[in-house]
Amino acid sequence: MKNRVPRTLYRQLLSWCRRYQDVPFDGVPPLTLTPPQVNSLALRRLKSMRTFLDSNGIGDSASNVKWRHPAHFALYNSNVAVEEDMIVFPAVHNTSELRDVIRSVYWLNNVNTMSNVDGVNIADERECDSSSNATKEQISLAFDAIKSCNQLSSSELDSRRNKRLASIEARRNQMNDKDAPIVEYHVGQVVSQKKKGWRGVIVGWTIEQENANERSRLTSLTTKQYSLSDRNETNSENENIDTSSKQDKTQKFNIKYTILVDVNDAALLKSSKIVSLESQEDLGFVEPCLHRIHNNLINQYFNKFESDHFVPNNVLGYVYPMDRYSSCDISEGRESSTSSASTEAVEGEQLTDPRLPDVKAACMTIIQGVNKISNRLVSSIEHDSTDQNSKCNFLESLLSGISTQAKIDEDQPTLSLYSTILALYHFHVKINSLLWSRKIHLDHKPNIKFSLGQIVRHKLYDYRGVIIAWDPKPHVDVTNWDGLQHVDNPQNQPFYHIRPDENDCIRAFGGPRSFRYVCQDNLELCEPTELEVDELSPQEWRWDKGKGSYVPSDEMKFLYGEKLESDETMIEQNLQKLRDTLSECLLTVRDGVNNEYFTMDDLFCVLRSADTLENATAVQDTIKEIWKESSNIELRNSLDTGIAYLLEGNFEKALSTFTKITEADPSYGEAWNKKATVHYMMGHMQESLEAARRALDIDPRNFQALAGIGLVEMDSSSSVEKAVDAFRQCLALNPWSMVSARLALCLRKRDRSKDNNGE
């Protein structure tokens, strides 16, 4: 009898789990449960049981046994951390896991569990004075758990279930009743706003009913009320009323859609909206090449892009199970004939390239090719790296990122494809960035007074800080900064990245500051003292009391040309060997000399089939890096220098740099492409077109050059047709390109022009 109350509460918890077992937990806001007060005796017993299971090789293989231990989750789940005085459960993803946690905690707090642990009787333990106290703890814990569960269901789970019931009934009604409102569009479908012109993807819909006296949103309890009176009653009592009279009494409906707006469309149309609520009559269909939407919230609602729509995730599919693109688990099936317009042919089908190989074969070829490149990179410096003086932690870490061999799943090769491509991309960028940045910093080293890690003081504002980086010249316009009025020509002075002392900033500015950008003339060395700086990573910046400064990592020292304990010359030579070897491999890929690794056809194949923006970005960035390669390392360095000028806004120097490159090597396509960009930024439209066309002559699949041509034609042509054609070609090669927003704007402009001309 004494355990009746906790047992009843325990059953209520399990009943709650059964009640919500079909509702997904994904995306539920964090909910804190009071930490379970599990008795230490029970934890000791659990720990000894887990040790016994591990030592005898009994683990998750026991998960399918016919009889499950009440604490099966705590016993066999490796993600459950058990110590002598604490147990930590992992994040709960569904009611099944929550039920397992409840059962485990109940078993651990059961009096029988706490008895006879290692031969010690519970009555002899101070940790649990009596079974009565244990029962009280169980009851208290159970009440806390019930409170938290009810909070979860009332705040989120009930809402999801109600929306599901409403959406199911609305879809059934429109299939079975001709007077029911028709929901034309589906979650995951891409639509356009007819009046404003932006595109977006649907993440939800509701039906609102309107009449002269009231306006109320339909829920799962009101969905059936689509007329002012019951249909049978209306037919029997109003047989003599004409059709128009009946129509007057018919309820009006307003179907609203929640839409994630394409951020590029919003920017072009000067709108700040990223989510919008729109009426059905204001929406229209979008042509195929414009179906991919850019919005930071996409991943919260959809798993991937497929064919012409986004695939709803677990939660969205649960709430709208009968929508066309959800995983349907309703016996009646999805409504399939709500809109004949959805099947109408639209212009602008994506261009196809018969040279592109099968996607699966391309994925496997790329993974195998990257593995071959990785092996070659490692072997290129293997005979030198045996010398201990040439070894460096950051160099070994850099190699480890590319040398991990990717395993190929022949059924689903895309699972490892994008991580493999990213590894290649990051390695390529890192190698070139290290060598190029080191060269720039060494060239300007004579003008630099202070070193990384030194403690300095600001002469004007009297705060101290540690130097974490420096620029030969400021990377922003500083001419109007208050603290530089006494400095002559600050734009040509070195600037330092400073992490300031928190207490000094509070005194100087009235509050903490995490970062300062300071001119060299405003700094002076001060007493070497460890500062109060939370932003510094101990792994990257170690305080050395003997030196009176912070010691940067080997990578930072190498990057800024500072003295290393390792052999700097050997490290630089190894990096150059890695860069030269990788460059040779990528040039082979770009020029199609042989098929030793993979081809550009393979990359474009996976780019066109990428199912998320993140995956597409990984592939397109890799393609861009390959286009940057040159067999002439001096020209490659000059390209980086020109890009730096371009980013700084120094168009004259950038144009001069790219012009010299194209004169030295007229076949360097990326130099022509960058030259076209500079001309466009300077307003030289004809020159920009000519340079972009030269880039296309070298590689007809240069989607950057096509995008540039489209921009020039869009800005300067009296007709938008040339811009539309260029943007379409770009999207045919790179469907996730941001020029989709430009194309949508051009098409809207063209349609308006046709309407004005009466076509």
Side-chain angles (χ1 to χ4, degrees):
M1 298 293 290
K2 61 185 178 182
N3 287 327
R4 180 176 296 174
V5 175
R7 187 176 300 167
T8 301
L9 295 174
Y10 167 70
R11 288 172 177 169
Q12 287 186 8
L13 284 168
L14 296 184
S15 175
W16 185 94
C17 292
R18 287 192 295 271
R19 189 179 314 127
Y20 292 97
Q21 64 184 354
D22 64 323
V23 186
F25 272 30
D26 309 48
V28 168
L31 193 71
T32 303
L33 278 166
T34 302
Q37 302 299 313
V38 179
N39 189 274
S40 59
L41 284 173
L43 284 176
R44 190 185 309 169
R45 181 175 182 184
L46 176 64
K47 188 173 179 65
S48 64
M49 292 172 69
R50 284 170 62 105
T51 302
F52 171 80
L53 292 172
D54 291 339
S55 61
N56 287 274
I58 305 173
D60 292 335
S61 59
S63 60
N64 295 322
V65 294
K66 186 175 181 180
W67 178 83
R68 289 168 62 91
H69 191 280
H72 186 278
F73 191 75
L75 275 172
Y76 296 105
N77 193 317
S78 58
N79 293 322
V80 176
V82 181
E83 303 296 337
E84 291 290 342
D85 58 350
M86 182 174 63
I87 182 170
V88 179
F89 291 100
V92 176
H93 299 96
N94 50 56
T95 52
S96 296
E97 290 185 4
L98 179 60
R99 182 180 63 244
D100 289 339
V101 171
I102 292 170
R103 285 174 172 168
S104 297
V105 173
Y106 183 84
W107 180 82
L108 289 167
N109 280 337
N110 190 284
V111 175
N112 294 327
T113 305
M114 293 184 286
S115 301
N116 299 319
V117 178
D118 296 334
V120 179
N121 189 278
I122 191 172
D124 298 329
E125 282 286 343
R126 295 180 180 179
E127 300 166 32
C128 187
D129 296 330
S130 66
S131 60
S132 176
N133 288 337
T135 301
K136 290 179 181 178
E137 289 181 358
Q138 278 187 288
I139 294 173
S140 175
L141 177 62
F143 273 120
D144 288 337
I146 289 175
K147 179 181 177 181
S148 295
C149 288
N150 287 335
Q151 178 186 345
L152 173 62
S153 57
S154 62
S155 64
E156 186 65 32
L157 302 187
D158 285 339
S159 173
R160 290 180 180 179
R161 175 173 285 175
N162 290 338
K163 288 179 181 177
R164 173 185 173 87
L165 294 174
S167 73
I168 291 173
E169 189 147 10
R171 288 295 186 192
R172 285 174 173 168
N173 287 338
Q174 71 183 61
M175 285 191 293
N176 301 323
D177 195 309
K178 63 180 181 179
D179 294 328
I182 302 298
V183 181
E184 292 278 351
Y185 305 104
H186 303 256
V187 291
Q189 189 168 355
V190 178
V191 294
S192 65
Q193 219 284 355
K194 294 178 182 177
K195 298 177 181 177
K196 300 174 183 177
W198 50 254
R199 298 162 298 135
V201 57
I202 296 171
V203 294
W205 52 263
T206 57
I207 302 177
E208 295 178 351
Q209 56 182 9
E210 300 177 1
N211 57 35
N213 300 320
E214 64 177 1
R215 175 191 178 98
S216 62
R217 176 168 294 185
L218 290 173
T219 68
S220 59
L221 300 178
T222 61
T223 305
K224 287 185 176 181
Q225 300 173 1
Y226 33 76
S227 64
L228 292 176
S229 58
D230 181 79
R231 183 172 303 141
N232 292 331
E233 182 180 336
T234 302
N235 291 338
S236 61
E237 295 182 8
N238 302 300
E239 292 179 354
N240 296 324
I241 300 178
D242 60 21
T243 305
S244 61
S245 177
K246 287 184 180 181
Q247 188 67 29
D248 290 338
K249 286 183 174 284
T250 301
Q251 186 75 329
K252 295 182 179 179
F253 300 100
N254 189 9
I255 302 173
K256 291 289 189 73
Y257 295 85
T258 304
I259 300 172
L260 300 184
V261 180
D262 185 278
V263 293
N264 300 311
D265 284 14
L268 282 175
L269 297 169
K270 298 180 180 180
S271 170
S272 60
K273 280 188 175 183
I274 60 171
V275 181
S276 185
L277 188 65
E278 300 292 328
S279 296
Q280 182 163 278
E281 59 269 20
D282 293 329
L283 300 178
F285 295 99
V286 176
E287 66 173 75
C289 66
L290 298 177
H291 279 153
R292 291 165 179 81
I293 299 300
H294 295 191
N295 189 297
N296 293 333
L297 299 177
I298 288 286
N299 292 339
Q300 296 184 24
Y301 295 93
F302 303 102
N303 293 327
K304 61 180 180 179
F305 179 85
E306 188 175 274
S307 182
D308 61 352
H309 64 276
F310 287 86
V311 178
N313 64 11
N314 191 29
V315 174
L316 207 58
Y318 171 83
V319 174
Y320 300 96
M322 295 184 70
D323 275 35
R324 182 175 297 135
Y325 308 119
S326 298
S327 297
C328 185
D329 57 358
I330 307 299
S331 58
E332 285 82 351
R334 300 189 195 94
E335 179 275 332
S336 59
S337 59
T338 58
S339 172
S340 58
S342 63
T343 59
E344 291 179 359
V346 292
E347 64 173 340
E349 290 293 337
Q350 295 185 21
L351 303 179
T352 59
D353 188 341
R355 298 174 298 171
L356 292 179
D358 175 71
V359 175
K360 183 177 178 181
C363 292
M364 296 180 67
T365 301
I366 292 173
I367 295 173
Q368 292 168 346
V370 174
N371 287 341
K372 290 178 182 178
I373 293 175
S374 169
N375 291 334
R376 184 170 174 185
L377 289 169
V378 173
S379 62
S380 68
I381 64 168
E382 186 174 11
H383 59 283
D384 290 325
S385 60
T386 55
D387 181 1
Q388 291 297 320
N389 292 328
S390 70
K391 287 190 175 181
C392 189
N393 290 334
F394 84 85
L395 183 56
E396 293 179 357
S397 175
L398 183 65
L399 268 177
S400 66
I402 190 69
S403 60
T404 302
Q405 297 291 294
K407 296 181 180 179
I408 304 176
D409 184 336
E410 294 188 0
D411 294 327
Q412 293 181 302
T414 54
L415 294 177
S416 57
L417 169 70
Y418 297 106
S419 60
T420 303
I421 291 178
L422 272 177
L424 177 66
Y425 167 75
H426 288 306
F427 185 83
H428 184 267
V429 171
K430 190 73 170 180
I431 287 289
N432 282 284
S433 176
L434 280 170
L435 290 171
W436 184 80
S437 297
R438 177 177 172 82
K439 179 181 180 301
I440 296 298
H441 288 119
L442 284 173
D443 290 344
H444 292 85
K445 191 72 172 175
N447 300 323
I448 302 301
K449 291 183 180 180
F450 308 107
S451 300
L452 297 181
Q454 283 188 319
I455 308 299
V456 292
R457 183 189 306 276
H458 197 288
K459 295 178 182 179
L460 296 180
Y461 300 116
D462 197 34
Y463 63 82
R464 298 163 300 160
V466 56
I467 296 173
I468 62 170
W470 53 264
D471 299 321
K473 295 180 181 180
H475 56 70
V476 294
D477 185 3
V478 298
T479 52
N480 295 320
W481 287 14
D482 292 340
L484 296 172
Q485 298 307 307
H486 65 289
V487 178
D488 294 333
N489 199 13
Q491 284 294 131
N492 291 322
Q493 296 285 332
F495 268 69
Y496 293 81
H497 301 251
I498 305 292
R499 291 292 185 192
D501 182 88
E502 291 183 2
N503 296 325
D504 287 2
C505 285
I506 292 174
R507 174 177 48 79
F509 306 114
R513 300 288 188 274
S514 61
F515 173 78
R516 299 280 89 186
Y517 196 50
V518 187
C519 180
Q520 181 168 269
D521 285 358
N522 278 338
L523 294 175
E524 62 183 2
L525 289 175
C526 65
E527 181 182 354
T529 306
E530 188 173 5
L531 306 180
E532 291 291 332
V533 183
D534 289 339
E535 300 292 333
L536 286 185
S537 167
Q539 292 76 23
E540 295 291 329
W541 297 91
R542 175 177 54 84
W543 170 252
D544 189 322
K545 187 175 181 180
K547 293 181 178 179
S549 65
Y550 288 86
V551 180
S553 65
D554 285 347
E555 181 178 337
M556 292 293 290
K557 288 181 180 179
F558 181 84
L559 191 66
Y560 286 90
E562 299 200 356
K563 183 65 178 177
L564 283 169
E565 295 179 4
S566 307
D567 187 335
E568 297 175 34
T569 303
M570 186 62 72
I571 291 172
E572 187 166 4
Q573 288 176 354
N574 279 333
L575 284 172
Q576 288 173 346
K577 283 184 179 180
L578 289 172
R579 180 185 61 184
D580 293 344
T581 302
L582 181 56
S583 176
E584 183 181 340
C585 295
L586 296 184
L587 285 171
T588 300
V589 171
R590 189 188 71 189
D591 299 335
V593 177
N594 58 54
N595 199 22
E596 181 181 359
Y597 306 113
F598 53 88
T599 67
M600 295 296 282
D601 284 347
D602 295 317
L603 286 173
F604 274 99
C605 180
V606 297
L607 176 60
R608 287 193 56 187
S609 63
D611 55 7
T612 66
L613 175 60
E614 292 74 18
N615 290 340
T617 300
V619 183
Q620 75 171 11
D621 286 349
T622 302
I623 292 174
K624 292 176 184 178
E625 287 300 310
I626 293 175
W627 280 336
K628 288 181 182 179
E629 277 304 331
S630 171
S631 56
N632 186 326
I633 189 59
E634 294 301 325
L635 292 182
R636 177 67 177 83
N637 289 337
S638 295
L639 184 75
D640 286 334
T641 301
I643 293 172
Y645 286 139
L646 178 59
L647 294 175
E648 291 172 4
N650 194 336
F651 300 140
E652 293 292 344
K653 284 190 175 182
L655 180 58
S656 175
T657 302
F658 296 136
T659 299
K660 290 178 181 178
I661 297 174
T662 55
E663 289 174 350
D665 182 4
S667 65
Y668 201 167
E670 189 60 16
W672 285 109
N673 180 57
K674 290 295 185 286
K675 187 176 180 180
T677 302
V678 177
H679 277 304
Y680 177 79
M681 299 298 291
M682 298 176 72
H684 307 158
M685 297 304 179
Q686 187 58 40
E687 292 85 348
S688 180
L689 276 178
E690 291 173 359
R693 286 167 181 160
R694 289 293 297 271
L696 280 176
D697 289 340
I698 296 168
D699 189 340
R701 292 187 295 190
N702 193 322
F703 48 79
Q704 297 180 103
L706 285 166
I709 291 174
L711 290 174
V712 172
E713 296 290 358
M714 181 179 179
D715 290 349
S716 60
S717 178
S718 58
S719 171
V720 297
E721 290 300 332
K722 291 182 180 179
V724 167
D725 182 60
F727 288 143
R728 284 196 191 282
Q729 291 184 60
C730 176
L731 288 170
L733 295 164
N734 182 12
W736 287 94
S737 172
M738 291 188 295
V739 301
S740 58
R742 300 276 181 175
L743 175 58
L745 194 62
C746 286
L747 293 175
R748 182 174 172 81
K749 182 179 178 180
R750 186 188 66 181
D751 292 342
R752 285 181 174 177
S753 177
K754 288 181 178 180
D755 291 341
N756 293 335
N757 294 331
E759 295 183 16

